[in-house]
Each structure stands twice: as structure tokens, then as C-alpha cells.
Amino acid sequence: MKALLGLGKLIALLFWLAVLANLIQPFAHPFSTLLNGAGALILLIHIIEVVALRSRLNGRPHPGMDRLQILLFGVFHFATLPQPASAKVEGDTHA
């Protein structure tokens, strides 16, 4: 699972580098517009993830760094975060 998440982060990083390169030196006409649109949509989705996970990130040692990584990698970083203590207790039926 860690290898898959690492590969996902690498692909996401390559995507953001392509978006940045497109902003600096635009690609051919249809690809430039499509890449900018995809980048804007992905960024919007990642912003929604950060807002939705705000309470879960507040208890982390470096919540700012986690927010930045979620903006860059989205679910690939979120999946690496440890589960909150309350979620672990809910599944435990050994009472």
C-alpha cells in the first residue's frame, strides 16, 4: 500500500510540475487550456479536502505542513495520516 501511495504522490508531483511548466511556457493551444482547467479543478478539489479535514488536522504536530501536502497530493497524503483515536475505538468490540 505504501508503494502505491508513493507512486501516486510521484504522479501528482509530476502533474503539478507540468501545470507549472505550462504556466511558464504554454504548451500547444488545446493542451494548454485543458491542462490549466484540470489544474484548477484538482486544486479546487484539494482545497475542499483541506476544509473538510480541518478538525482532523488540528491535532497533528505540524498541521500546516499536512495542509500543504494535501493541497499537493490530495488523497495520497490523506491516506498516510494515522486514524484518529475515536475511529480506532469504534471498531473495537472486545469489551
Side-chain angles (χ1 to χ4, degrees):
M1 185 70 170
K2 280 188 174 185
L4 230 48
L5 293 174
L7 180 63
K9 282 185 174 186
L10 178 66
I11 292 171
L13 182 63
L14 291 174
F15 171 77
W16 288 119
L17 288 174
V19 170
L20 184 62
N22 185 44
L23 291 175
I24 294 170
Q25 179 68 40
F27 299 147
H29 171 61
F31 302 113
S32 174
T33 306
L34 289 172
L35 190 58
N36 286 338
L41 181 65
I42 299 281
L43 184 61
L44 178 65
I45 291 169
H46 289 184
I47 289 171
I48 292 170
E49 287 176 351
V50 168
V51 171
L53 298 171
R54 183 180 36 209
S55 63
R56 185 167 170 187
L57 295 176
N58 283 339
R60 301 273 302 154
H62 303 288
M65 185 59 77
D66 285 327
R67 287 182 182 96
L68 178 64
Q69 288 190 35
I70 289 175
L71 281 177
L72 289 175
F73 306 121
V75 73
F76 297 115
H77 179 68
F78 171 69
T80 64
L81 296 176
Q83 293 291 326
S86 61
K88 290 180 182 176
V89 174
E90 289 177 7
D92 188 18
T93 58
H94 299 98

